[in-house]
Short mmCIF file of all heavy atoms in Angstrom, two decimals:
data_model
loop_
_atom_site.label_atom_id
_atom_site.label_comp_id
_atom_site.label_asym_id
_atom_site.label_seq_id
_atom_site.Cartn_x
_atom_site.Cartn_y
_atom_site.Cartn_z
N THR A 921 -327.52 -22.64 182.74
CA THR A 921 -326.81 -21.85 181.74
C THR A 921 -325.51 -22.56 181.34
O THR A 921 -325.19 -22.66 180.17
CB THR A 921 -326.49 -20.45 182.28
OG1 THR A 921 -327.72 -19.83 182.66
CG2 THR A 921 -325.79 -19.60 181.25
N THR A 922 -324.80 -23.07 182.30
CA THR A 922 -323.56 -23.80 182.03
C THR A 922 -323.82 -25.03 181.18
O THR A 922 -323.08 -25.31 180.24
CB THR A 922 -322.88 -24.20 183.35
OG1 THR A 922 -322.66 -23.02 184.11
CG2 THR A 922 -321.56 -24.89 183.09
N ASP A 923 -324.90 -25.76 181.48
CA ASP A 923 -325.26 -26.93 180.68
C ASP A 923 -325.53 -26.55 179.23
O ASP A 923 -325.12 -27.24 178.31
CB ASP A 923 -326.49 -27.64 181.27
CG ASP A 923 -326.19 -28.34 182.58
OD1 ASP A 923 -324.99 -28.52 182.91
OD2 ASP A 923 -327.15 -28.70 183.28
N LEU A 924 -326.24 -25.45 179.04
CA LEU A 924 -326.56 -24.99 177.69
C LEU A 924 -325.29 -24.61 176.94
O LEU A 924 -325.12 -24.95 175.77
CB LEU A 924 -327.52 -23.80 177.73
CG LEU A 924 -327.95 -23.24 176.39
CD1 LEU A 924 -328.69 -24.30 175.58
CD2 LEU A 924 -328.83 -22.02 176.58
N GLN A 925 -324.37 -23.93 177.61
CA GLN A 925 -323.12 -23.56 176.97
C GLN A 925 -322.31 -24.79 176.59
O GLN A 925 -321.72 -24.85 175.52
CB GLN A 925 -322.31 -22.66 177.90
CG GLN A 925 -322.92 -21.28 178.07
CD GLN A 925 -322.27 -20.48 179.18
OE1 GLN A 925 -321.61 -21.03 180.04
NE2 GLN A 925 -322.45 -19.17 179.14
N LYS A 926 -322.28 -25.80 177.45
CA LYS A 926 -321.55 -27.03 177.16
C LYS A 926 -322.18 -27.75 175.97
O LYS A 926 -321.49 -28.29 175.12
CB LYS A 926 -321.54 -27.95 178.38
CG LYS A 926 -320.61 -27.49 179.47
CD LYS A 926 -320.64 -28.44 180.64
CE LYS A 926 -319.78 -27.95 181.78
NZ LYS A 926 -319.90 -28.81 182.97
N GLU A 927 -323.52 -27.77 175.93
CA GLU A 927 -324.23 -28.43 174.83
C GLU A 927 -323.92 -27.75 173.51
O GLU A 927 -323.64 -28.40 172.52
CB GLU A 927 -325.73 -28.42 175.11
CG GLU A 927 -326.54 -29.19 174.10
CD GLU A 927 -328.02 -29.22 174.45
OE1 GLU A 927 -328.36 -29.36 175.64
OE2 GLU A 927 -328.83 -29.09 173.52
N ARG A 928 -323.95 -26.43 173.50
CA ARG A 928 -323.64 -25.69 172.27
C ARG A 928 -322.20 -25.92 171.84
O ARG A 928 -321.90 -26.07 170.67
CB ARG A 928 -323.91 -24.20 172.48
CG ARG A 928 -325.36 -23.85 172.49
CD ARG A 928 -325.57 -22.38 172.61
NE ARG A 928 -326.98 -22.05 172.55
CZ ARG A 928 -327.46 -20.87 172.83
NH1 ARG A 928 -326.65 -19.89 173.17
NH2 ARG A 928 -328.76 -20.64 172.75
N ALA A 929 -321.28 -25.91 172.79
CA ALA A 929 -319.87 -26.14 172.47
C ALA A 929 -319.67 -27.53 171.89
O ALA A 929 -318.89 -27.73 170.96
CB ALA A 929 -319.00 -25.94 173.72
N GLU A 930 -320.40 -28.51 172.43
CA GLU A 930 -320.30 -29.88 171.92
C GLU A 930 -320.79 -29.96 170.48
O GLU A 930 -320.17 -30.60 169.64
CB GLU A 930 -321.11 -30.82 172.81
CG GLU A 930 -320.96 -32.26 172.42
CD GLU A 930 -321.73 -33.21 173.33
OE1 GLU A 930 -321.86 -32.91 174.53
OE2 GLU A 930 -322.21 -34.23 172.82
N PHE A 931 -321.91 -29.29 170.18
CA PHE A 931 -322.42 -29.29 168.81
C PHE A 931 -321.43 -28.62 167.86
O PHE A 931 -321.21 -29.08 166.74
CB PHE A 931 -323.77 -28.58 168.73
CG PHE A 931 -324.91 -29.38 169.28
CD1 PHE A 931 -325.82 -28.80 170.14
CD2 PHE A 931 -325.08 -30.72 168.97
CE1 PHE A 931 -326.87 -29.54 170.67
CE2 PHE A 931 -326.12 -31.46 169.49
CZ PHE A 931 -327.02 -30.86 170.34
N ALA A 932 -320.81 -27.53 168.31
CA ALA A 932 -319.83 -26.83 167.47
C ALA A 932 -318.63 -27.72 167.19
O ALA A 932 -318.15 -27.80 166.06
CB ALA A 932 -319.39 -25.54 168.16
N MET A 933 -318.14 -28.41 168.21
CA MET A 933 -317.00 -29.31 168.01
C MET A 933 -317.35 -30.45 167.07
O MET A 933 -316.53 -30.85 166.23
CB MET A 933 -316.51 -29.87 169.35
CG MET A 933 -315.69 -28.88 170.15
SD MET A 933 -314.25 -28.25 169.26
CE MET A 933 -313.36 -29.74 168.94
N ARG A 934 -318.55 -30.97 167.18
CA ARG A 934 -318.97 -32.05 166.26
C ARG A 934 -319.01 -31.55 164.83
O ARG A 934 -318.62 -32.27 163.90
CB ARG A 934 -320.33 -32.59 166.68
CG ARG A 934 -320.28 -33.46 167.90
CD ARG A 934 -321.61 -34.05 168.20
NE ARG A 934 -321.55 -34.85 169.41
CZ ARG A 934 -322.60 -35.46 169.92
NH1 ARG A 934 -323.78 -35.36 169.36
NH2 ARG A 934 -322.47 -36.17 171.02
N ALA A 935 -319.48 -30.33 164.62
CA ALA A 935 -319.54 -29.76 163.28
C ALA A 935 -318.13 -29.62 162.70
O ALA A 935 -317.90 -29.94 161.54
CB ALA A 935 -320.25 -28.41 163.30
N VAL A 936 -317.19 -29.17 163.51
CA VAL A 936 -315.80 -29.03 163.06
C VAL A 936 -315.22 -30.40 162.74
O VAL A 936 -314.54 -30.59 161.72
CB VAL A 936 -314.95 -28.31 164.13
CG1 VAL A 936 -313.48 -28.37 163.80
CG2 VAL A 936 -315.41 -26.87 164.27
N GLU A 937 -315.47 -31.39 163.59
CA GLU A 937 -314.95 -32.74 163.36
C GLU A 937 -315.50 -33.33 162.07
O GLU A 937 -314.77 -33.99 161.33
CB GLU A 937 -315.28 -33.64 164.55
CG GLU A 937 -314.47 -33.30 165.79
CD GLU A 937 -314.97 -34.01 167.04
OE1 GLU A 937 -315.99 -34.72 166.97
OE2 GLU A 937 -314.33 -33.85 168.08
N VAL A 938 -316.77 -33.10 161.77
CA VAL A 938 -317.36 -33.60 160.52
C VAL A 938 -316.69 -32.94 159.32
O VAL A 938 -316.34 -33.60 158.34
CB VAL A 938 -318.89 -33.36 160.48
CG1 VAL A 938 -319.45 -33.58 159.10
CG2 VAL A 938 -319.58 -34.26 161.49
N GLY A 939 -316.47 -31.63 159.39
CA GLY A 939 -315.81 -30.92 158.30
C GLY A 939 -314.40 -31.44 158.05
O GLY A 939 -314.01 -31.68 156.90
N LEU A 940 -313.65 -31.65 159.11
CA LEU A 940 -312.29 -32.18 158.95
C LEU A 940 -312.31 -33.61 158.42
O LEU A 940 -311.47 -33.98 157.59
CB LEU A 940 -311.56 -32.13 160.30
CG LEU A 940 -311.24 -30.72 160.81
CD1 LEU A 940 -310.69 -30.79 162.23
CD2 LEU A 940 -310.27 -30.02 159.88
N ALA A 941 -313.26 -34.41 158.86
CA ALA A 941 -313.38 -35.79 158.36
C ALA A 941 -313.71 -35.80 156.87
O ALA A 941 -313.19 -36.63 156.12
CB ALA A 941 -314.43 -36.56 159.15
N LEU A 942 -314.56 -34.87 156.43
CA LEU A 942 -314.88 -34.78 155.00
C LEU A 942 -313.63 -34.44 154.18
O LEU A 942 -313.40 -35.01 153.12
CB LEU A 942 -315.96 -33.72 154.76
CG LEU A 942 -317.37 -34.11 155.17
CD1 LEU A 942 -318.28 -32.88 155.15
CD2 LEU A 942 -317.91 -35.18 154.25
N LEU A 943 -312.85 -33.50 154.68
CA LEU A 943 -311.61 -33.14 153.97
C LEU A 943 -310.64 -34.32 153.89
O LEU A 943 -310.02 -34.56 152.85
CB LEU A 943 -310.94 -31.95 154.66
CG LEU A 943 -311.67 -30.62 154.53
CD1 LEU A 943 -311.02 -29.56 155.42
CD2 LEU A 943 -311.69 -30.16 153.08
N ARG A 944 -310.52 -35.06 154.99
CA ARG A 944 -309.61 -36.23 154.99
C ARG A 944 -310.13 -37.33 154.05
O ARG A 944 -309.35 -38.02 153.41
CB ARG A 944 -309.47 -36.78 156.40
CG ARG A 944 -308.58 -35.94 157.29
CD ARG A 944 -308.26 -36.67 158.58
NE ARG A 944 -309.44 -37.02 159.34
CZ ARG A 944 -309.99 -36.27 160.30
NH1 ARG A 944 -309.42 -35.12 160.64
NH2 ARG A 944 -311.07 -36.67 160.95
N ALA A 945 -311.44 -37.48 153.97
CA ALA A 945 -312.03 -38.56 153.17
C ALA A 945 -311.95 -38.28 151.67
O ALA A 945 -312.04 -39.21 150.87
CB ALA A 945 -313.49 -38.77 153.58
N LEU A 946 -311.79 -37.03 151.29
CA LEU A 946 -311.79 -36.68 149.87
C LEU A 946 -310.78 -37.49 149.07
O LEU A 946 -311.09 -38.00 147.99
CB LEU A 946 -311.53 -35.18 149.70
CG LEU A 946 -311.56 -34.66 148.27
CD1 LEU A 946 -312.94 -34.89 147.65
CD2 LEU A 946 -311.19 -33.21 148.22
N THR A 947 -309.58 -37.65 149.58
CA THR A 947 -308.55 -38.37 148.83
C THR A 947 -308.85 -39.86 148.69
O THR A 947 -308.42 -40.48 147.73
CB THR A 947 -307.17 -38.22 149.50
OG1 THR A 947 -307.26 -38.66 150.85
CG2 THR A 947 -306.72 -36.76 149.48
N SER A 948 -309.62 -40.41 149.62
CA SER A 948 -309.94 -41.84 149.52
C SER A 948 -311.13 -42.10 148.60
O SER A 948 -311.34 -43.21 148.17
CB SER A 948 -310.21 -42.43 150.91
OG SER A 948 -311.34 -41.83 151.47
N VAL A 949 -311.90 -41.06 148.28
CA VAL A 949 -313.06 -41.25 147.41
C VAL A 949 -312.79 -40.82 145.97
O VAL A 949 -313.44 -41.28 145.06
CB VAL A 949 -314.27 -40.43 147.90
CG1 VAL A 949 -315.56 -41.15 147.66
CG2 VAL A 949 -314.18 -39.99 149.31
N CYS A 950 -311.81 -39.94 145.80
CA CYS A 950 -311.54 -39.41 144.46
C CYS A 950 -310.03 -39.29 144.25
O CYS A 950 -309.32 -38.75 145.09
CB CYS A 950 -312.21 -38.04 144.32
SG CYS A 950 -311.95 -37.31 142.70
N ASP A 951 -309.57 -39.79 143.10
CA ASP A 951 -308.14 -39.74 142.77
C ASP A 951 -307.75 -38.46 142.03
O ASP A 951 -306.57 -38.22 141.82
CB ASP A 951 -307.75 -40.95 141.93
CG ASP A 951 -307.88 -42.24 142.71
OD1 ASP A 951 -307.74 -42.19 143.94
OD2 ASP A 951 -308.12 -43.29 142.09
N ASP A 952 -308.72 -37.66 141.64
CA ASP A 952 -308.44 -36.44 140.88
C ASP A 952 -307.85 -35.38 141.81
O ASP A 952 -308.53 -34.83 142.68
CB ASP A 952 -309.75 -35.93 140.27
CG ASP A 952 -309.53 -34.74 139.34
OD1 ASP A 952 -308.38 -34.26 139.23
OD2 ASP A 952 -310.52 -34.30 138.73
N VAL A 953 -306.56 -35.09 141.66
CA VAL A 953 -305.89 -34.14 142.54
C VAL A 953 -306.33 -32.70 142.30
O VAL A 953 -306.09 -31.83 143.14
CB VAL A 953 -304.35 -34.24 142.43
CG1 VAL A 953 -303.86 -35.58 142.95
CG2 VAL A 953 -303.90 -34.01 141.00
N SER A 954 -306.97 -32.45 141.17
CA SER A 954 -307.45 -31.09 140.90
C SER A 954 -308.76 -30.78 141.64
O SER A 954 -309.15 -29.63 141.75
CB SER A 954 -307.65 -30.87 139.40
OG SER A 954 -308.72 -31.68 138.93
N LEU A 955 -309.41 -31.82 142.14
CA LEU A 955 -310.65 -31.63 142.90
C LEU A 955 -310.31 -31.10 144.28
O LEU A 955 -309.46 -31.63 144.99
CB LEU A 955 -311.42 -32.94 143.02
CG LEU A 955 -312.76 -32.85 143.75
CD1 LEU A 955 -313.74 -31.99 142.97
CD2 LEU A 955 -313.32 -34.23 143.98
N GLN A 956 -310.98 -30.01 144.67
CA GLN A 956 -310.77 -29.40 145.98
C GLN A 956 -312.10 -29.28 146.70
O GLN A 956 -313.15 -29.19 146.06
CB GLN A 956 -310.14 -28.02 145.83
CG GLN A 956 -308.77 -28.05 145.21
CD GLN A 956 -308.20 -26.64 145.07
OE1 GLN A 956 -308.87 -25.65 145.33
NE2 GLN A 956 -306.96 -26.57 144.63
N MET A 957 -312.04 -29.26 148.01
CA MET A 957 -313.25 -29.11 148.80
C MET A 957 -313.01 -28.01 149.84
O MET A 957 -311.94 -27.94 150.44
CB MET A 957 -313.60 -30.41 149.53
CG MET A 957 -314.86 -30.31 150.33
SD MET A 957 -315.25 -31.73 151.42
CE MET A 957 -314.89 -33.14 150.47
N ARG A 958 -314.01 -27.18 150.03
CA ARG A 958 -313.95 -26.15 151.06
C ARG A 958 -315.12 -26.41 152.01
O ARG A 958 -316.25 -26.60 151.58
CB ARG A 958 -314.08 -24.77 150.43
CG ARG A 958 -313.96 -23.65 151.42
CD ARG A 958 -313.92 -22.32 150.74
NE ARG A 958 -315.20 -22.01 150.14
CZ ARG A 958 -315.48 -20.87 149.54
NH1 ARG A 958 -314.56 -19.95 149.43
NH2 ARG A 958 -316.68 -20.65 149.04
N VAL A 959 -314.83 -26.43 153.29
CA VAL A 959 -315.84 -26.71 154.29
C VAL A 959 -316.05 -25.47 155.14
O VAL A 959 -315.08 -24.86 155.60
CB VAL A 959 -315.42 -27.89 155.19
CG1 VAL A 959 -316.44 -28.13 156.28
CG2 VAL A 959 -315.22 -29.15 154.36
N GLY A 960 -317.30 -25.08 155.34
CA GLY A 960 -317.62 -23.94 156.19
C GLY A 960 -318.67 -24.32 157.20
O GLY A 960 -319.42 -25.27 157.01
N ILE A 961 -318.69 -23.59 158.28
CA ILE A 961 -319.68 -23.84 159.33
C ILE A 961 -320.54 -22.60 159.46
O ILE A 961 -320.02 -21.49 159.64
CB ILE A 961 -318.98 -24.17 160.66
CG1 ILE A 961 -318.16 -25.43 160.49
CG2 ILE A 961 -320.01 -24.33 161.77
CD1 ILE A 961 -317.29 -25.76 161.67
N HIS A 962 -321.84 -22.78 159.40
CA HIS A 962 -322.79 -21.69 159.45
C HIS A 962 -323.57 -21.76 160.75
O HIS A 962 -324.04 -22.83 161.13
CB HIS A 962 -323.74 -21.81 158.24
CG HIS A 962 -324.67 -20.68 158.12
ND1 HIS A 962 -325.80 -20.57 158.88
CD2 HIS A 962 -324.64 -19.59 157.33
CE1 HIS A 962 -326.43 -19.45 158.55
NE2 HIS A 962 -325.75 -18.85 157.61
N THR A 963 -323.70 -20.65 161.44
CA THR A 963 -324.40 -20.67 162.72
C THR A 963 -325.64 -19.78 162.75
O THR A 963 -326.29 -19.66 163.77
CB THR A 963 -323.47 -20.22 163.86
OG1 THR A 963 -323.01 -18.91 163.58
CG2 THR A 963 -322.30 -21.17 164.00
N GLY A 964 -325.98 -19.15 161.65
CA GLY A 964 -327.15 -18.27 161.62
C GLY A 964 -328.38 -18.99 161.11
O GLY A 964 -328.36 -20.18 160.81
N SER A 965 -329.46 -18.24 161.01
CA SER A 965 -330.70 -18.83 160.49
C SER A 965 -330.58 -19.03 158.98
O SER A 965 -329.98 -18.23 158.28
CB SER A 965 -331.88 -17.93 160.81
OG SER A 965 -331.66 -16.65 160.28
N VAL A 966 -331.15 -20.11 158.51
CA VAL A 966 -331.03 -20.46 157.10
C VAL A 966 -332.22 -21.33 156.68
O VAL A 966 -332.80 -22.03 157.50
CB VAL A 966 -329.69 -21.20 156.84
CG1 VAL A 966 -329.67 -22.54 157.52
CG2 VAL A 966 -329.41 -21.36 155.37
N VAL A 967 -332.57 -21.23 155.41
CA VAL A 967 -333.59 -22.09 154.82
C VAL A 967 -332.92 -22.83 153.68
O VAL A 967 -332.16 -22.24 152.90
CB VAL A 967 -334.79 -21.27 154.28
CG1 VAL A 967 -335.78 -22.15 153.57
CG2 VAL A 967 -335.45 -20.51 155.41
N ALA A 968 -333.16 -24.12 153.57
CA ALA A 968 -332.53 -24.92 152.52
C ALA A 968 -333.59 -25.67 151.74
O ALA A 968 -334.65 -26.00 152.27
CB ALA A 968 -331.55 -25.90 153.14
#
Side-chain angles (χ1 to χ4, degrees):
T921 302
T922 303
D923 289 345
L924 181 61
Q925 290 169 341
K926 286 180 184 175
E927 185 176 320
R928 286 184 177 169
E930 185 178 327
F931 286 134
M933 283 303 300
R934 286 184 182 178
V936 170
E937 289 170 356
V938 167
L940 292 172
L942 286 168
L943 290 172
R944 284 191 301 268
L946 182 61
T947 56
S948 64
V949 216
C950 181
D951 294 332
D952 186 356
V953 293
S954 67
L955 182 65
Q956 297 179 354
M957 182 188 317
R958 183 173 69 176
V959 177
I961 298 172
H962 185 281
T963 59
S965 57
V966 67
V967 175

